[in-house]
Amino acid sequence: AQSVTQPDIHITVSEGASLELRCNYSYGATPYLFWYVQSPGQGLQLLLKYFSGDTLVQGIKGFEAEFKRSQSSFNLRKPSVHWSDAAEYFCAVGAYNFNKFYFGSGTKLNVKP
Amino acid sequence: DAGVTQSPTHLIKTRGQHVTLRCSPISGHKSVSWYQQVLGQGPQFIFQYYEKEERGRGNFPDRFSARQFPNYSSELNVNALLLGDSALYLCASSLADGLLYEQYFGPGTRLTVT
């Protein structure tokens, strides 16, 4: 069965510090992996996606993620967090032929000034 | 260009009632998907429609149904509402079928069942 685990429910980092949000997936076929961000009152916004090729993918807003097949992980990173990054972040795995995602339960990011 | 729009923004219903939620995709987008996001959880896939045909269905009871109209807008219907149906319902649209096409999410409809 397909599933996504985000082990950290809440994370607090200081502004300017580095960030890593963890994501582990379970998927029977080749995974198509995504990171979305959800700010209060706004829709989910795609940060980045991995389909194939280079395992380090760059996204918007200075985010990047690394696909590690051996660890079934797709962790999201940012070298220096800004206060505006405070939001909830969702990892998702998709089935190629369908617009259907399996989302993780999310990680809420707080940024300390 | 307008993004994905959903109506209404908020809705309060009583157990046993029926509800219809509406979604207008981005102009030119032919695929619409629906998700349920219960507070504190990630979105769960309900349906996907492409060119007015159902392309995928998640693990939801038959009380949930949807359709897509010739203009590609979509409705999600829920019958015999339960307290557990209280959630944020998200609609997403994309140009075509398949994950190569980015999904754009609307702001959602907040449904409260009392």
mmCIF file of all heavy atoms in Angstrom, chain A residues 21-42:
data_model
loop_
_atom_site.group_PDB
_atom_site.id
_atom_site.type_symbol
_atom_site.label_atom_id
_atom_site.label_comp_id
_atom_site.label_asym_id
_atom_site.label_seq_id
_atom_site.Cartn_x
_atom_site.Cartn_y
_atom_site.Cartn_z
ATOM 1 N N LEU A 21 13.235 18.971 6.539
ATOM 2 C CA LEU A 21 11.974 18.313 6.863
ATOM 3 C C LEU A 21 12.016 16.909 6.283
ATOM 4 O O LEU A 21 12.326 16.717 5.101
ATOM 5 C CB LEU A 21 10.789 19.090 6.278
ATOM 6 C CG LEU A 21 10.648 20.543 6.715
ATOM 7 C CD1 LEU A 21 9.393 21.154 6.086
ATOM 8 C CD2 LEU A 21 10.610 20.669 8.225
ATOM 9 N N ARG A 22 11.659 15.944 7.110
ATOM 10 C CA ARG A 22 11.806 14.541 6.718
ATOM 11 C C ARG A 22 10.544 13.979 6.078
ATOM 12 O O ARG A 22 9.421 14.344 6.461
ATOM 13 C CB ARG A 22 12.193 13.693 7.934
ATOM 14 C CG ARG A 22 13.553 14.059 8.527
ATOM 15 C CD ARG A 22 13.892 13.132 9.653
ATOM 16 N NE ARG A 22 13.059 13.367 10.823
ATOM 17 C CZ ARG A 22 12.959 12.520 11.842
ATOM 18 N NH1 ARG A 22 13.616 11.366 11.823
ATOM 19 N NH2 ARG A 22 12.203 12.818 12.882
ATOM 20 N N CYS A 23 10.759 13.093 5.123
ATOM 21 C CA CYS A 23 9.661 12.419 4.445
ATOM 22 C C CYS A 23 10.120 11.024 4.069
ATOM 23 O O CYS A 23 11.154 10.860 3.423
ATOM 24 C CB CYS A 23 9.240 13.187 3.195
ATOM 25 S SG CYS A 23 8.051 12.311 2.162
ATOM 26 N N ASN A 24 9.342 10.030 4.465
ATOM 27 C CA ASN A 24 9.593 8.649 4.043
ATOM 28 C C ASN A 24 8.359 8.130 3.330
ATOM 29 O O ASN A 24 7.230 8.435 3.728
ATOM 30 C CB ASN A 24 9.919 7.766 5.251
ATOM 31 C CG ASN A 24 11.249 8.129 5.867
ATOM 32 O OD1 ASN A 24 11.320 8.895 6.820
ATOM 33 N ND2 ASN A 24 12.316 7.603 5.297
ATOM 34 N N TYR A 25 8.559 7.361 2.292
ATOM 35 C CA TYR A 25 7.437 6.879 1.508
ATOM 36 C C TYR A 25 7.491 5.364 1.375
ATOM 37 O O TYR A 25 8.533 4.738 1.518
ATOM 38 C CB TYR A 25 7.442 7.531 0.113
ATOM 39 C CG TYR A 25 8.605 7.073 -0.726
ATOM 40 C CD1 TYR A 25 8.502 5.954 -1.539
ATOM 41 C CD2 TYR A 25 9.817 7.752 -0.671
ATOM 42 C CE1 TYR A 25 9.582 5.513 -2.274
ATOM 43 C CE2 TYR A 25 10.914 7.314 -1.405
ATOM 44 C CZ TYR A 25 10.790 6.200 -2.200
ATOM 45 O OH TYR A 25 11.856 5.768 -2.909
ATOM 46 N N SER A 26 6.313 4.831 1.102
ATOM 47 C CA SER A 26 6.199 3.415 0.763
ATOM 48 C C SER A 26 5.354 3.347 -0.494
ATOM 49 O O SER A 26 4.210 3.823 -0.498
ATOM 50 C CB SER A 26 5.524 2.651 1.904
ATOM 51 O OG SER A 26 5.239 1.322 1.520
ATOM 52 N N TYR A 27 5.957 2.809 -1.561
ATOM 53 C CA TYR A 27 5.247 2.813 -2.840
ATOM 54 C C TYR A 27 5.737 1.653 -3.670
ATOM 55 O O TYR A 27 6.931 1.427 -3.762
ATOM 56 C CB TYR A 27 5.483 4.137 -3.556
ATOM 57 C CG TYR A 27 4.519 4.401 -4.683
ATOM 58 C CD1 TYR A 27 3.181 4.630 -4.420
ATOM 59 C CD2 TYR A 27 4.943 4.419 -5.993
ATOM 60 C CE1 TYR A 27 2.291 4.871 -5.438
ATOM 61 C CE2 TYR A 27 4.060 4.657 -7.028
ATOM 62 C CZ TYR A 27 2.736 4.886 -6.747
ATOM 63 O OH TYR A 27 1.855 5.126 -7.756
ATOM 64 N N GLY A 28 4.808 0.903 -4.281
ATOM 65 C CA GLY A 28 5.163 -0.321 -4.975
ATOM 66 C C GLY A 28 5.883 -0.115 -6.280
ATOM 67 O O GLY A 28 6.656 -0.960 -6.713
ATOM 68 N N ALA A 29 5.626 1.002 -6.926
ATOM 69 C CA ALA A 29 6.222 1.230 -8.246
ATOM 70 C C ALA A 29 7.227 2.381 -8.135
ATOM 71 O O ALA A 29 7.590 2.799 -7.045
ATOM 72 C CB ALA A 29 5.128 1.559 -9.238
ATOM 73 N N THR A 30 7.680 2.867 -9.271
ATOM 74 C CA THR A 30 8.572 4.026 -9.265
ATOM 75 C C THR A 30 7.835 5.213 -8.672
ATOM 76 O O THR A 30 6.767 5.577 -9.160
ATOM 77 C CB THR A 30 9.013 4.358 -10.699
ATOM 78 O OG1 THR A 30 9.667 3.227 -11.252
ATOM 79 C CG2 THR A 30 9.948 5.558 -10.687
ATOM 80 N N PRO A 31 8.376 5.794 -7.617
ATOM 81 C CA PRO A 31 7.632 6.882 -6.969
ATOM 82 C C PRO A 31 7.800 8.203 -7.703
ATOM 83 O O PRO A 31 8.863 8.496 -8.228
ATOM 84 C CB PRO A 31 8.279 6.951 -5.583
ATOM 85 C CG PRO A 31 9.697 6.544 -5.820
ATOM 86 C CD PRO A 31 9.649 5.514 -6.924
ATOM 87 N N TYR A 32 6.733 8.944 -7.724
ATOM 88 C CA TYR A 32 6.783 10.319 -8.182
ATOM 89 C C TYR A 32 6.507 11.162 -6.945
ATOM 90 O O TYR A 32 5.450 11.043 -6.339
ATOM 91 C CB TYR A 32 5.754 10.551 -9.288
ATOM 92 C CG TYR A 32 6.084 9.739 -10.496
ATOM 93 C CD1 TYR A 32 5.630 8.429 -10.626
ATOM 94 C CD2 TYR A 32 6.889 10.257 -11.502
ATOM 95 C CE1 TYR A 32 5.973 7.660 -11.730
ATOM 96 C CE2 TYR A 32 7.231 9.495 -12.600
ATOM 97 C CZ TYR A 32 6.775 8.197 -12.709
ATOM 98 O OH TYR A 32 7.117 7.441 -13.790
ATOM 99 N N LEU A 33 7.458 11.982 -6.547
ATOM 100 C CA LEU A 33 7.455 12.612 -5.233
ATOM 101 C C LEU A 33 7.339 14.120 -5.332
ATOM 102 O O LEU A 33 7.873 14.732 -6.247
ATOM 103 C CB LEU A 33 8.738 12.223 -4.483
ATOM 104 C CG LEU A 33 8.853 10.722 -4.197
ATOM 105 C CD1 LEU A 33 10.296 10.337 -3.933
ATOM 106 C CD2 LEU A 33 7.980 10.349 -3.019
ATOM 107 N N PHE A 34 6.647 14.683 -4.360
ATOM 108 C CA PHE A 34 6.332 16.106 -4.369
ATOM 109 C C PHE A 34 6.453 16.668 -2.960
ATOM 110 O O PHE A 34 6.242 15.978 -1.967
ATOM 111 C CB PHE A 34 4.885 16.330 -4.846
ATOM 112 C CG PHE A 34 4.574 15.735 -6.185
ATOM 113 C CD1 PHE A 34 4.313 14.380 -6.299
ATOM 114 C CD2 PHE A 34 4.530 16.529 -7.312
ATOM 115 C CE1 PHE A 34 4.019 13.815 -7.547
ATOM 116 C CE2 PHE A 34 4.234 15.980 -8.558
ATOM 117 C CZ PHE A 34 3.980 14.627 -8.677
ATOM 118 N N TRP A 35 6.736 17.953 -2.905
ATOM 119 C CA TRP A 35 6.602 18.730 -1.682
ATOM 120 C C TRP A 35 5.695 19.927 -1.977
ATOM 121 O O TRP A 35 5.895 20.642 -2.967
ATOM 122 C CB TRP A 35 7.942 19.249 -1.170
ATOM 123 C CG TRP A 35 8.680 18.273 -0.311
ATOM 124 C CD1 TRP A 35 9.702 17.446 -0.668
ATOM 125 C CD2 TRP A 35 8.465 18.034 1.084
ATOM 126 N NE1 TRP A 35 10.137 16.703 0.393
ATOM 127 C CE2 TRP A 35 9.389 17.049 1.494
ATOM 128 C CE3 TRP A 35 7.590 18.564 2.045
ATOM 129 C CZ2 TRP A 35 9.457 16.582 2.816
ATOM 130 C CZ3 TRP A 35 7.657 18.099 3.352
ATOM 131 C CH2 TRP A 35 8.582 17.120 3.727
ATOM 132 N N TYR A 36 4.694 20.093 -1.083
ATOM 133 C CA TYR A 36 3.772 21.223 -1.164
ATOM 134 C C TYR A 36 3.865 22.026 0.119
ATOM 135 O O TYR A 36 4.155 21.498 1.191
ATOM 136 C CB TYR A 36 2.333 20.727 -1.338
ATOM 137 C CG TYR A 36 1.950 20.341 -2.738
ATOM 138 C CD1 TYR A 36 2.233 19.068 -3.221
ATOM 139 C CD2 TYR A 36 1.310 21.239 -3.584
ATOM 140 C CE1 TYR A 36 1.880 18.704 -4.515
ATOM 141 C CE2 TYR A 36 0.952 20.887 -4.877
ATOM 142 C CZ TYR A 36 1.238 19.624 -5.328
ATOM 143 O OH TYR A 36 0.886 19.271 -6.605
ATOM 144 N N VAL A 37 3.532 23.324 0.015
ATOM 145 C CA VAL A 37 3.445 24.174 1.188
ATOM 146 C C VAL A 37 2.030 24.745 1.255
ATOM 147 O O VAL A 37 1.419 25.064 0.226
ATOM 148 C CB VAL A 37 4.497 25.315 1.146
ATOM 149 C CG1 VAL A 37 4.318 26.202 -0.071
ATOM 150 C CG2 VAL A 37 4.453 26.141 2.417
ATOM 151 N N GLN A 38 1.513 24.825 2.472
ATOM 152 C CA GLN A 38 0.163 25.366 2.697
ATOM 153 C C GLN A 38 0.236 26.450 3.750
ATOM 154 O O GLN A 38 0.532 26.182 4.909
ATOM 155 C CB GLN A 38 -0.796 24.258 3.128
ATOM 156 C CG GLN A 38 -2.247 24.686 3.218
ATOM 157 C CD GLN A 38 -3.162 23.512 3.562
ATOM 158 O OE1 GLN A 38 -2.821 22.660 4.367
ATOM 159 N NE2 GLN A 38 -4.325 23.447 2.924
ATOM 160 N N SER A 39 -0.031 27.673 3.334
ATOM 161 C CA SER A 39 -0.078 28.797 4.267
ATOM 162 C C SER A 39 -1.531 29.038 4.649
ATOM 163 O O SER A 39 -2.435 28.711 3.877
ATOM 164 C CB SER A 39 0.520 30.040 3.616
ATOM 165 O OG SER A 39 1.870 29.819 3.274
ATOM 166 N N PRO A 40 -1.763 29.605 5.830
ATOM 167 C CA PRO A 40 -3.140 29.814 6.302
ATOM 168 C C PRO A 40 -3.969 30.577 5.284
ATOM 169 O O PRO A 40 -3.562 31.613 4.773
ATOM 170 C CB PRO A 40 -2.947 30.628 7.586
ATOM 171 C CG PRO A 40 -1.585 30.245 8.060
ATOM 172 C CD PRO A 40 -0.767 30.028 6.824
ATOM 173 N N GLY A 41 -5.133 30.030 4.970
ATOM 174 C CA GLY A 41 -6.043 30.701 4.048
ATOM 175 C C GLY A 41 -5.661 30.597 2.590
ATOM 176 O O GLY A 41 -6.328 31.168 1.737
ATOM 177 N N GLN A 42 -4.592 29.856 2.313
ATOM 178 C CA GLN A 42 -4.161 29.728 0.921
ATOM 179 C C GLN A 42 -4.166 28.268 0.503
ATOM 180 O O GLN A 42 -4.104 27.362 1.319
ATOM 181 C CB GLN A 42 -2.767 30.322 0.753
ATOM 182 C CG GLN A 42 -2.702 31.809 1.058
ATOM 183 C CD GLN A 42 -1.377 32.399 0.649
ATOM 184 O OE1 GLN A 42 -0.647 31.841 -0.162
ATOM 185 N NE2 GLN A 42 -1.057 33.553 1.197
#
